[in-house]
Protein backbone atom coordinates (compact mmCIF):
# COMPACT_ATOMS: atom_id res chain seq x y z
CA UNK A 1 0.00 0.00 0.00
CA UNK A 2 2.90 2.28 0.83
CA UNK A 3 4.42 1.72 -2.58
CA UNK A 4 1.15 2.35 -4.35
CA UNK A 5 0.76 5.49 -2.29
CA UNK A 6 4.19 6.69 -3.31
CA UNK A 7 3.48 5.74 -6.89
CA UNK A 8 0.37 7.86 -6.90
CA UNK A 9 2.33 10.81 -5.59
CA UNK A 10 4.86 10.39 -8.36
CA UNK A 11 2.15 10.22 -10.99
CA UNK A 12 0.59 13.36 -9.55
CA UNK A 13 3.95 15.13 -9.60
CA UNK A 14 4.50 14.14 -13.18
CA UNK A 15 1.13 15.52 -14.19
CA UNK A 16 1.84 18.68 -12.29
CA UNK A 17 5.22 19.01 -13.99
CA UNK A 18 3.61 18.50 -17.38
CA UNK A 19 0.93 21.05 -16.61
CA UNK A 20 3.47 23.60 -15.38
CA UNK A 21 5.72 22.97 -18.36
CA UNK A 22 2.75 23.42 -20.67
CA UNK A 23 1.82 26.72 -19.04
CA UNK A 24 5.40 27.94 -19.19
CA UNK A 25 5.56 27.03 -22.87
CA UNK A 26 2.28 28.78 -23.64
CA UNK A 27 3.46 31.87 -21.76
CA UNK A 28 6.72 31.88 -23.67
CA UNK A 29 4.96 31.51 -27.02
CA UNK A 30 2.36 34.13 -26.10
CA UNK A 31 4.99 36.70 -25.26
CA UNK A 32 6.23 36.39 -28.83
CA UNK A 33 2.73 36.22 -30.30
CA UNK A 34 1.58 39.49 -28.74
CA UNK A 35 4.08 41.41 -30.89
CA UNK A 36 3.52 39.38 -34.03
CA UNK A 37 0.65 38.80 -36.40
CA UNK A 38 -0.17 35.43 -34.80
CA UNK A 39 -2.89 37.11 -32.76
CA UNK A 40 -5.85 37.84 -34.96
CA UNK A 41 -9.16 39.45 -34.08
CA UNK A 42 -12.28 37.74 -35.41
CA UNK A 43 -15.62 39.54 -35.61
CA UNK A 44 -19.04 38.08 -34.88
CA UNK A 45 -22.12 40.04 -35.99
CA UNK A 46 -24.66 41.37 -33.48
CA UNK A 47 -27.90 41.47 -35.45
CA UNK A 48 -31.10 43.44 -35.04
CA UNK A 49 -33.37 40.55 -36.00
CA UNK A 50 -36.47 42.70 -36.59
CA UNK A 51 -34.80 44.33 -39.60
CA UNK A 52 -32.05 41.76 -40.28
CA UNK A 53 -29.49 44.52 -39.85
CA UNK A 54 -26.02 44.02 -38.41
CA UNK A 55 -25.71 46.56 -35.61
CA UNK A 56 -22.06 45.81 -34.99
CA UNK A 57 -19.60 43.10 -34.01
CA UNK A 58 -18.05 41.45 -30.99
CA UNK A 59 -14.26 41.22 -31.27
CA UNK A 60 -12.99 37.74 -30.36
CA UNK A 61 -9.27 37.04 -30.27
CA UNK A 62 -7.75 34.00 -32.02
CA UNK A 63 -4.20 32.73 -31.78
CA UNK A 64 -2.84 31.30 -34.98
CA UNK A 65 0.05 29.33 -33.54
CA UNK A 66 2.75 28.30 -36.06
CA UNK A 67 2.69 24.64 -34.99
CA UNK A 68 -0.42 24.16 -32.82
CA UNK A 69 -2.86 25.69 -35.29
CA UNK A 70 -5.69 27.95 -34.13
CA UNK A 71 -5.77 28.04 -30.34
CA UNK A 72 -9.14 29.09 -28.86
CA UNK A 73 -9.15 31.90 -26.25
CA UNK A 74 -10.26 29.61 -23.42
CA UNK A 75 -6.86 27.91 -23.74
CA UNK A 76 -4.67 30.99 -23.49
CA UNK A 77 -6.62 33.89 -21.93
CA UNK A 78 -6.40 32.38 -18.41
CA UNK A 79 -2.64 31.89 -18.85
CA UNK A 80 -2.27 35.42 -20.18
CA UNK A 81 -4.17 36.65 -17.12
CA UNK A 82 -1.93 34.77 -14.70
CA UNK A 83 1.23 36.14 -16.26
CA UNK A 84 -0.07 39.67 -16.69
CA UNK A 85 0.44 39.44 -20.47
CA UNK A 86 -3.29 40.04 -20.87
CA UNK A 87 -2.60 43.75 -20.37
CA UNK A 88 -0.57 43.93 -23.59
CA UNK A 89 -2.69 41.36 -25.38
CA UNK A 90 -5.91 43.16 -24.44
CA UNK A 91 -4.51 46.54 -25.50
CA UNK A 92 -3.58 45.01 -28.84
CA UNK A 93 -7.07 43.53 -29.38
CA UNK A 94 -8.66 46.83 -28.38
CA UNK A 95 -6.52 48.77 -30.85
CA UNK A 96 -7.12 46.35 -33.73
CA UNK A 97 -10.86 46.27 -33.07
CA UNK A 98 -11.21 50.07 -32.77
CA UNK A 99 -9.14 50.63 -35.91
CA UNK A 100 -11.25 48.11 -37.84
CA UNK A 101 -14.50 49.58 -36.55
CA UNK A 102 -13.39 53.09 -37.52
CA UNK A 103 -12.61 51.86 -41.05
CA UNK A 104 -16.01 50.15 -41.35
CA UNK A 105 -17.76 53.20 -39.92
CA UNK A 106 -16.10 55.44 -42.51
CA UNK A 107 -17.65 53.29 -45.26
CA UNK A 108 -21.21 53.59 -43.98
CA UNK A 109 -23.65 56.29 -45.10
CA UNK A 110 -23.81 59.38 -42.84
CA UNK A 111 -25.93 58.80 -39.73
CA UNK A 112 -25.39 55.03 -39.75
CA UNK A 113 -23.65 53.76 -36.64
CA UNK A 114 -21.54 50.68 -36.15
CA UNK A 115 -20.85 49.30 -32.68
CA UNK A 116 -17.81 47.33 -31.70
CA UNK A 117 -17.85 45.24 -28.56
CA UNK A 118 -14.56 44.28 -26.88
CA UNK A 119 -14.05 41.85 -23.98
CA UNK A 120 -12.16 43.21 -20.99
CA UNK A 121 -10.47 40.91 -18.49
CA UNK A 122 -10.50 41.61 -14.76
CA UNK A 123 -6.71 41.90 -14.87
CA UNK A 124 -6.89 44.63 -17.51
CA UNK A 125 -9.62 46.36 -15.58
CA UNK A 126 -7.54 46.32 -12.40
CA UNK A 127 -4.49 47.74 -14.17
CA UNK A 128 -3.80 51.35 -13.21
CA UNK A 129 -3.33 52.51 -16.82
CA UNK A 130 -6.45 50.86 -18.22
CA UNK A 131 -8.63 53.95 -18.56
CA UNK A 132 -5.75 55.92 -20.08
CA UNK A 133 -5.18 53.08 -22.57
CA UNK A 134 -8.81 53.19 -23.67
CA UNK A 135 -8.66 56.99 -24.05
CA UNK A 136 -5.40 56.81 -26.02
CA UNK A 137 -6.75 54.06 -28.29
CA UNK A 138 -9.87 56.07 -29.10
CA UNK A 139 -7.74 59.12 -29.89
CA UNK A 140 -5.30 57.11 -32.02
CA UNK A 141 -7.94 55.28 -34.06
CA UNK A 142 -10.42 58.13 -34.32
CA UNK A 143 -13.30 55.88 -33.29
CA UNK A 144 -16.26 57.74 -31.83
CA UNK A 145 -16.29 56.65 -28.14
CA UNK A 146 -20.03 56.03 -28.22
CA UNK A 147 -19.47 53.30 -30.83
CA UNK A 148 -17.35 51.28 -28.39
CA UNK A 149 -18.91 48.80 -25.99
CA UNK A 150 -16.69 47.27 -23.35
CA UNK A 151 -17.86 43.84 -22.20
CA UNK A 152 -17.22 43.07 -18.58
CA UNK A 153 -18.42 40.18 -16.45
CA UNK A 154 -19.70 40.53 -12.94
CA UNK A 155 -17.10 38.09 -11.67
CA UNK A 156 -14.30 40.10 -13.28
CA UNK A 157 -15.05 43.25 -11.29
CA UNK A 158 -13.51 44.20 -7.95
CA UNK A 159 -15.53 42.62 -5.12
CA UNK A 160 -15.89 46.09 -3.60
CA UNK A 161 -19.08 47.39 -5.25
CA UNK A 162 -18.23 51.05 -4.65
CA UNK A 163 -14.75 50.70 -6.14
CA UNK A 164 -16.12 48.82 -9.15
CA UNK A 165 -18.86 51.39 -9.69
CA UNK A 166 -16.40 54.28 -9.46
CA UNK A 167 -14.08 52.70 -12.05
CA UNK A 168 -17.01 52.01 -14.39
CA UNK A 169 -18.15 55.63 -14.08
CA UNK A 170 -14.69 56.81 -15.12
CA UNK A 171 -14.99 54.68 -18.24
CA UNK A 172 -18.48 55.97 -18.94
CA UNK A 173 -17.09 59.50 -18.66
CA UNK A 174 -14.93 58.75 -21.72
CA UNK A 175 -18.18 58.28 -23.64
CA UNK A 176 -17.89 54.52 -24.15
CA UNK A 177 -20.72 52.15 -23.26
CA UNK A 178 -20.57 49.21 -20.90
CA UNK A 179 -22.09 45.78 -21.34
CA UNK A 180 -22.51 43.13 -18.65
CA UNK A 181 -21.42 39.88 -20.29
CA UNK A 182 -22.70 36.42 -19.33
CA UNK A 183 -25.48 38.11 -17.39
CA UNK A 184 -27.22 35.86 -14.89
CA UNK A 185 -24.24 33.60 -14.27
CA UNK A 186 -22.75 35.85 -11.55
CA UNK A 187 -23.67 35.61 -7.91
CA UNK A 188 -25.13 39.04 -7.22
CA UNK A 189 -26.43 40.24 -10.57
CA UNK A 190 -29.31 42.23 -9.19
CA UNK A 191 -27.27 44.36 -6.78
CA UNK A 192 -24.85 45.08 -9.62
CA UNK A 193 -27.64 46.11 -11.93
CA UNK A 194 -28.82 48.71 -9.45
CA UNK A 195 -25.48 50.50 -9.12
CA UNK A 196 -23.40 49.84 -12.24
CA UNK A 197 -23.55 52.40 -15.07
CA UNK A 198 -24.06 49.67 -17.70
CA UNK A 199 -26.37 50.00 -20.67
CA UNK A 200 -26.29 46.57 -22.25
CA UNK A 201 -27.04 43.14 -20.77
CA UNK A 202 -25.85 40.05 -22.60
CA UNK A 203 -27.85 36.92 -21.88
CA UNK A 204 -25.47 34.00 -21.40
CA UNK A 205 -25.74 31.31 -24.03
CA UNK A 206 -26.29 28.63 -21.38
CA UNK A 207 -29.79 30.11 -20.84
CA UNK A 208 -30.46 30.64 -24.55
CA UNK A 209 -29.67 26.96 -25.21
CA UNK A 210 -32.70 25.85 -23.17
CA UNK A 211 -35.13 28.42 -24.64
CA UNK A 212 -38.49 26.89 -25.51
CA UNK A 213 -37.56 23.42 -24.23
CA UNK A 214 -36.48 24.11 -20.64
CA UNK A 215 -39.07 26.11 -18.63
CA UNK A 216 -36.50 27.33 -16.07
CA UNK A 217 -34.14 28.66 -18.75
CA UNK A 218 -37.07 30.26 -20.56
CA UNK A 219 -38.17 31.94 -17.32
CA UNK A 220 -34.65 33.26 -16.67
CA UNK A 221 -34.38 34.68 -20.20
CA UNK A 222 -37.81 36.30 -19.88
CA UNK A 223 -36.80 37.80 -16.52
CA UNK A 224 -33.53 39.24 -17.88
CA UNK A 225 -35.37 40.79 -20.83
CA UNK A 226 -37.94 42.34 -18.46
CA UNK A 227 -35.18 43.62 -16.17
CA UNK A 228 -33.39 45.22 -19.11
CA UNK A 229 -36.60 46.90 -20.19
CA UNK A 230 -37.28 48.18 -16.67
CA UNK A 231 -33.79 49.63 -16.37
CA UNK A 232 -33.85 51.04 -19.89
CA UNK A 233 -30.95 48.84 -21.02
CA UNK A 234 -30.40 47.09 -24.31
CA UNK A 235 -30.39 43.31 -24.17
CA UNK A 236 -28.43 40.99 -26.46
CA UNK A 237 -28.93 37.22 -26.53
CA UNK A 238 -25.74 35.27 -27.24
CA UNK A 239 -25.28 31.74 -28.52
CA UNK A 240 -28.36 31.93 -30.75
CA UNK A 241 -28.16 28.84 -32.94
CA UNK A 242 -31.65 28.37 -34.39
CA UNK A 243 -34.48 30.35 -35.97
CA UNK A 244 -36.78 28.95 -33.25
CA UNK A 245 -34.60 30.65 -30.63
CA UNK A 246 -34.80 33.92 -32.58
CA UNK A 247 -38.60 33.62 -32.72
CA UNK A 248 -38.82 32.84 -29.00
CA UNK A 249 -36.49 35.74 -28.11
CA UNK A 250 -38.52 38.12 -30.29
CA UNK A 251 -41.72 36.91 -28.62
CA UNK A 252 -40.17 37.66 -25.23
CA UNK A 253 -39.09 41.14 -26.38
CA UNK A 254 -35.43 40.65 -27.29
CA UNK A 255 -34.50 41.58 -30.85
CA UNK A 256 -30.70 41.87 -30.68
CA UNK A 257 -29.11 38.47 -31.24
CA UNK A 258 -25.64 37.02 -31.64
CA UNK A 259 -24.80 33.42 -32.47
CA UNK A 260 -23.93 30.90 -35.13
CA UNK A 261 -27.42 31.21 -36.63
CA UNK A 262 -26.74 34.87 -37.45
CA UNK A 263 -23.03 34.53 -38.21
CA UNK A 264 -19.90 32.86 -36.88
CA UNK A 265 -16.87 34.78 -35.68
CA UNK A 266 -14.76 35.45 -38.80
CA UNK A 267 -11.79 37.48 -40.01
CA UNK A 268 -12.55 41.14 -40.78
CA UNK A 269 -12.64 40.63 -44.58
CA UNK A 270 -15.30 37.93 -44.21
CA UNK A 271 -17.26 39.68 -41.45
CA UNK A 272 -17.46 42.80 -43.65
CA UNK A 273 -19.99 40.89 -45.79
CA UNK A 274 -22.56 41.44 -43.04
CA UNK A 275 -22.35 45.18 -43.66
CA UNK A 276 -23.02 45.17 -47.40
CA UNK A 277 -26.77 45.64 -46.93
CA UNK A 278 -26.17 48.76 -44.89
CA UNK A 279 -23.78 50.28 -47.40
CA UNK A 280 -26.29 49.99 -50.26
CA UNK A 281 -29.30 51.11 -48.28
P1 LIG B 1 -17.67 35.32 -24.53
O1 LIG B 1 -17.25 36.73 -24.35
O2 LIG B 1 -18.87 34.87 -23.81
O3 LIG B 1 -17.81 35.15 -26.11
C1 LIG B 1 -18.79 34.37 -26.73
C2 LIG B 1 -18.25 33.01 -27.11
O4 LIG B 1 -19.31 32.23 -27.64
C3 LIG B 1 -17.20 33.05 -28.21
O5 LIG B 1 -16.28 31.98 -27.96
C4 LIG B 1 -18.00 32.77 -29.46
O6 LIG B 1 -17.23 32.24 -30.52
C5 LIG B 1 -18.95 31.74 -28.91
N1 LIG B 1 -20.20 31.67 -29.69
C6 LIG B 1 -20.78 32.62 -30.43
N2 LIG B 1 -21.95 32.20 -30.96
C7 LIG B 1 -22.11 30.92 -30.55
C8 LIG B 1 -23.13 29.94 -30.78
O7 LIG B 1 -24.13 30.15 -31.46
N3 LIG B 1 -22.95 28.72 -30.17
C9 LIG B 1 -21.86 28.45 -29.39
N4 LIG B 1 -21.78 27.23 -28.86
N5 LIG B 1 -20.88 29.36 -29.17
C10 LIG B 1 -21.01 30.59 -29.74
P2 LIG B 1 -14.70 32.19 -28.11
O8 LIG B 1 -14.42 33.13 -29.26
O9 LIG B 1 -14.07 30.86 -28.11
O10 LIG B 1 -14.33 32.97 -26.79
C11 LIG B 1 -14.47 32.37 -25.53
C12 LIG B 1 -14.28 33.37 -24.44
O11 LIG B 1 -12.94 33.86 -24.44
C13 LIG B 1 -15.14 34.60 -24.59
O12 LIG B 1 -16.45 34.32 -24.12
C14 LIG B 1 -14.40 35.59 -23.73
O13 LIG B 1 -14.71 35.39 -22.37
C15 LIG B 1 -12.95 35.18 -23.98
N6 LIG B 1 -12.36 36.08 -24.99
C16 LIG B 1 -12.40 36.02 -26.34
N7 LIG B 1 -11.70 37.04 -26.89
C17 LIG B 1 -11.23 37.78 -25.87
C18 LIG B 1 -10.43 38.98 -25.77
O14 LIG B 1 -10.04 39.61 -26.77
N8 LIG B 1 -10.13 39.42 -24.52
C19 LIG B 1 -10.57 38.78 -23.39
N9 LIG B 1 -10.23 39.28 -22.18
N10 LIG B 1 -11.33 37.68 -23.43
C20 LIG B 1 -11.65 37.17 -24.66
CA1 LIG C 1 -18.20 38.64 -24.58
CA1 LIG D 1 -20.65 36.10 -23.16
CA1 LIG E 1 -18.76 33.38 -21.71
Amino acid sequence: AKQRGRGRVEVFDENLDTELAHRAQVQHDLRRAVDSDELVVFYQPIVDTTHSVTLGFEALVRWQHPTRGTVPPDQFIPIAEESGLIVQLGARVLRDACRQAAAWQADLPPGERLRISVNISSVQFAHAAFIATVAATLAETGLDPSNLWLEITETSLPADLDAATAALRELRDLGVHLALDDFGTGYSSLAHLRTFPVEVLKIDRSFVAGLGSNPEDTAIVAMIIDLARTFGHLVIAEGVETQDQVAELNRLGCTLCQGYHLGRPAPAEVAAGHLSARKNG
Side-chain angles (χ1 to χ4, degrees):
K2 201 175 163 193
Q3 253 181 337
R4 210 188 296 146
R6 204 167 57 211
R8 265 212 301 269
V9 169
E10 270 164 24
V11 167
F12 175 71
D13 279 347
E14 240 169 62
N15 285 341
L16 191 66
D17 280 354
T18 314
E19 171 65 16
L20 289 177
H22 171 72
R23 281 175 174 262
Q25 183 66 47
V26 171
Q27 261 185 49
H28 173 269
D29 287 3
L30 251 187
R31 221 169 280 279
R32 185 203 59 221
V34 166
D35 298 317
S36 75
D37 50 11
E38 285 174 34
L39 285 186
V40 181
V41 180
F42 275 30
Y43 297 89
Q44 184 177 34
I46 298 170
V47 178
D48 175 356
T49 54
T50 42
H51 307 103
S52 293
V53 168
T54 293
L55 197 80
F57 298 92
E58 177 173 1
L60 293 160
V61 69
R62 296 289 180 268
W63 183 7
Q64 288 167 345
H65 192 280
T67 54
R68 293 167 64 210
T70 301
V71 185
D74 290 341
Q75 283 178 33
F76 65 89
I77 295 282
I79 297 175
E81 287 177 332
E82 261 170 44
S83 60
L85 256 182
I86 190 75
V87 171
Q88 276 164 272
L89 187 156
R92 161 84 196 272
V93 171
L94 183 69
R95 180 161 40 90
D96 285 4
C98 288
R99 189 176 285 157
Q100 184 60 64
W104 277 331
Q105 176 70 62
D107 268 1
L108 292 179
E112 292 268 318
R113 276 153 65 77
L114 180 117
R115 323 297 176 113
I116 186 76
S117 214
V118 180
N119 292 287
I120 304 300
S121 147
S122 57
V123 180
Q124 279 174 278
F125 194 79
H127 195 253
F130 178 61
I131 290 168
T133 301
V134 176
T137 304
L138 289 166
E140 179 195 335
T141 60
L143 185 71
D144 184 328
S146 65
N147 288 347
L148 177 61
W149 289 349
L150 299 180
E151 297 196 2
I152 51 173
T153 59
E154 298 155 89
T155 43
S156 76
L157 292 168
D160 178 350
L161 265 188
D162 290 341
T165 304
L168 292 175
R169 284 200 195 290
E170 264 193 82
L171 279 171
R172 273 293 293 129
D173 289 345
L174 293 179
V176 306
H177 296 280
L178 302 171
L180 267 185
D181 204 359
D182 303 343
F183 188 75
T185 61
Y187 51 92
S188 52
S189 310
L190 299 181
H192 288 169
L193 204 53
R194 206 177 44 188
T195 55
F196 287 171
V198 299
E199 289 146 308
V200 184
L201 303 183
K202 296 193 78 173
I203 307 174
D204 191 66
R205 72 167 182 268
S206 62
F207 303 124
V208 174
L211 256 192
S213 56
N214 179 316
E216 286 85 12
D217 286 349
T218 308
I220 289 171
V221 171
M223 184 205 71
I224 295 174
I225 294 167
D226 283 348
L227 270 178
R229 189 186 291 123
T230 303
F231 282 85
H233 299 335
L234 292 176
V235 62
I236 300 173
E238 51 176 37
V240 178
E241 295 184 351
T242 67
Q243 184 53 42
D244 283 353
Q245 288 169 346
V246 173
E248 185 67 9
L249 285 160
N250 288 350
R251 190 183 69 78
L252 294 171
C254 171
T255 55
L256 301 182
C257 296
Q258 183 184 348
Y260 295 165
H261 180 67
L262 291 318
R264 292 196 174 244
E269 316 81 71
V270 177
H274 292 284
L275 292 174
S276 49
R278 288 180 62 176
K279 281 192 211 165
N280 301 335

